[in-house]
Amino acid sequence: MSKELVIKAKNGDIQALNKLINNHKDLAYSIALKHLKNKEDAEDVVQNSFIIVLKSIKSFRNEAKFSTWLYRIIYHECLKELKYKKLTVEYKPQFFDIEDEKIDINKEASFKNIFKVLKPNEYTVISLYYLEEKSTNEIAQITSLSKSNIKVLLHRARLKMKKAANNNIKNEKRNYKRDT
Amino acid sequence: MKKEIIKEILKKNLKTISNDDFNGKIIQQLDLSKNNEKPVLFGQKSMIRVFLVISLLILIVNSISIGKLPLQTLIIGITICISPFYFMIFNKIYKASIQNY
């Protein structure tokens, strides 16, 4: 399917190009936004990256290769933009009690602001790993980080997400007790 | 946390682009870049091919008409003949370097 899509896009099929863009634009934008913290800049970076990659789509055999290269360009364009603007990514560490409470996926509040605790790099790695199902090898290719570094980032991101979710549940319980 | 849960949370929290014409702008840029390419009578590839064929023909005709060519002349001739290959190799290396970016 992804192979067909790339072949169609290579031949200039606008529908296929649209589908290819739609398949990746949300994650690409989320990653760029996490890095740049500005909607306009993130949109520009994603748009430019798509143009760069689609211009040389003829050298890709399937969507997996295409997406790996796309995310690599997006990631490095974000870093370039940050360097250019001399922005420093502010990160305020948050400390939570580690409690292994059961997490309910249906409780929206449990996951409110869960990604705010993640650093841009951690968010990039975890979203590529779970949403795009990229291997640590591919993520290493995308980010130019070492494989062991990717594994550390993944572990840290999972831990932070768990702590954030537990903290939200704790707050919910506290609020519920206060109300009753 | 389970894999499915993390995947679900990540999916739910993806940010969406507000610009409705996002895809259109990208596709428009792609078409514009194609239109910017001016048509030429001879492309780079065809020029290299023609050069290769002509130089090979000259080498063959020379070797037939003159008879045995001195080794030095032959080496110089072959080096000139294969020189367009260098451009092809440079192009391949350049393409590979773009992909590795």
Side-chain angles (χ1 to χ4, degrees):
Chain A
M1 181 63 194
S2 63
K3 233 180 186 176
E4 275 177 37
L5 198 65
V6 171
I7 292 167
K8 280 182 183 173
K10 273 182 194 178
N11 296 328
D13 184 335
I14 292 179
Q15 240 183 329
L17 281 168
N18 265 321
K19 204 174 176 192
L20 210 54
I21 297 168
N22 287 338
N23 283 355
H24 300 285
K25 72 175 180 186
D26 286 345
L27 179 56
Y29 179 63
S30 302
I31 290 172
L33 195 63
K34 187 80 184 172
H35 278 88
L36 302 170
K37 308 200 183 301
N38 179 302
K39 282 183 180 179
E40 282 78 29
D41 289 345
E43 225 176 273
D44 283 346
V45 162
V46 174
Q47 203 163 42
N48 288 336
S49 305
F50 266 113
I51 292 167
I52 294 169
V53 181
L54 288 173
K55 269 184 182 172
S56 48
I57 195 166
K58 284 183 180 167
S59 48
F60 301 107
R61 264 177 252 150
N62 53 46
E63 203 178 342
K65 271 238 168 179
F66 169 84
S67 64
T68 302
W69 201 43
L70 172 74
Y71 291 115
R72 182 172 166 81
I73 289 188
I74 286 166
Y75 181 79
H76 288 278
E77 284 293 316
C78 285
L79 297 186
K80 221 193 270 179
E81 186 75 15
L82 280 174
K83 208 175 171 185
Y84 176 69
K85 290 196 164 183
K86 287 181 182 172
L87 285 176
T88 47
V89 183
E90 263 183 56
Y91 171 63
K92 290 171 189 166
Q94 297 182 19
F95 301 99
F96 305 100
D97 298 325
I98 304 170
E99 235 176 87
D100 212 26
E101 286 180 80
K102 204 180 176 186
I103 294 162
D104 183 5
I105 185 79
N106 298 318
K107 271 190 175 177
E108 289 283 330
S110 305
F111 304 105
K112 208 179 163 186
N113 300 332
I114 200 167
F115 295 107
K116 282 193 176 173
V117 294
L118 297 182
K119 284 181 186 177
N121 258 356
E122 291 164 348
Y123 178 76
T124 306
V125 168
I126 203 157
S127 51
L128 285 174
Y129 188 80
Y130 287 104
L131 285 181
E132 280 294 315
E133 291 179 351
K134 298 275 180 206
S135 64
T136 47
N137 229 348
E138 285 171 313
I139 300 172
Q141 265 181 27
I142 291 168
T143 56
S144 304
L145 298 169
S146 68
K147 255 174 92 176
S148 54
N149 212 335
I150 301 293
K151 281 176 190 167
V152 170
L153 284 171
L154 266 173
H155 176 71
R156 235 185 259 164
R158 280 191 209 112
L159 211 67
K160 277 184 184 174
M161 282 171 71
K162 193 175 172 182
K163 282 176 190 173
N166 283 337
N167 201 50
N168 284 345
I169 291 168
K170 251 172 119 180
N171 284 340
E172 269 175 63
K173 277 182 184 172
R174 209 177 292 150
N175 290 341
Y176 178 75
K177 270 180 195 171
R178 205 193 303 146
D179 293 342
T180 52
Chain B
M1 268 200 245
K2 278 182 183 173
K3 192 182 171 182
E4 292 75 33
I5 296 175
I6 297 175
K7 206 171 170 177
E8 195 63 33
I9 305 165
L10 280 162
K11 243 184 211 172
K12 277 185 182 174
N13 282 276
L14 277 181
K15 304 274 185 277
T16 48
I17 295 169
S18 53
N19 187 353
D20 294 330
D21 198 31
F22 182 80
N23 293 13
K25 275 183 184 172
I26 295 170
I27 293 166
Q28 199 183 355
Q29 288 266 345
L30 292 174
D31 283 337
L32 274 175
S33 66
K34 273 182 191 171
N35 292 337
N36 283 340
E37 281 176 20
K38 288 176 186 169
V40 285
L41 191 61
F42 294 107
Q44 279 178 334
K45 270 189 183 175
S46 59
M47 276 197 280
I48 289 172
R49 273 180 204 149
V50 169
F51 183 79
L52 263 173
V53 170
I54 291 171
S55 45
L56 268 172
L57 274 173
I58 291 169
L59 207 70
I60 291 164
V61 169
N62 266 340
S63 60
I64 291 167
S65 60
I66 302 167
K68 268 190 180 176
L69 282 172
L71 189 66
Q72 206 179 353
T73 318
L74 207 67
I75 290 168
I76 293 168
I78 290 167
T79 316
I80 294 167
C81 276
I82 63 163
S83 61
F85 278 120
Y86 298 131
F87 299 112
M88 285 178 173
I89 293 164
F90 289 146
N91 268 342
K92 291 258 175 195
I93 293 167
Y94 178 67
K95 270 185 190 171
S97 69
I98 289 176
Q99 263 201 336
N100 290 333
Y101 167 69

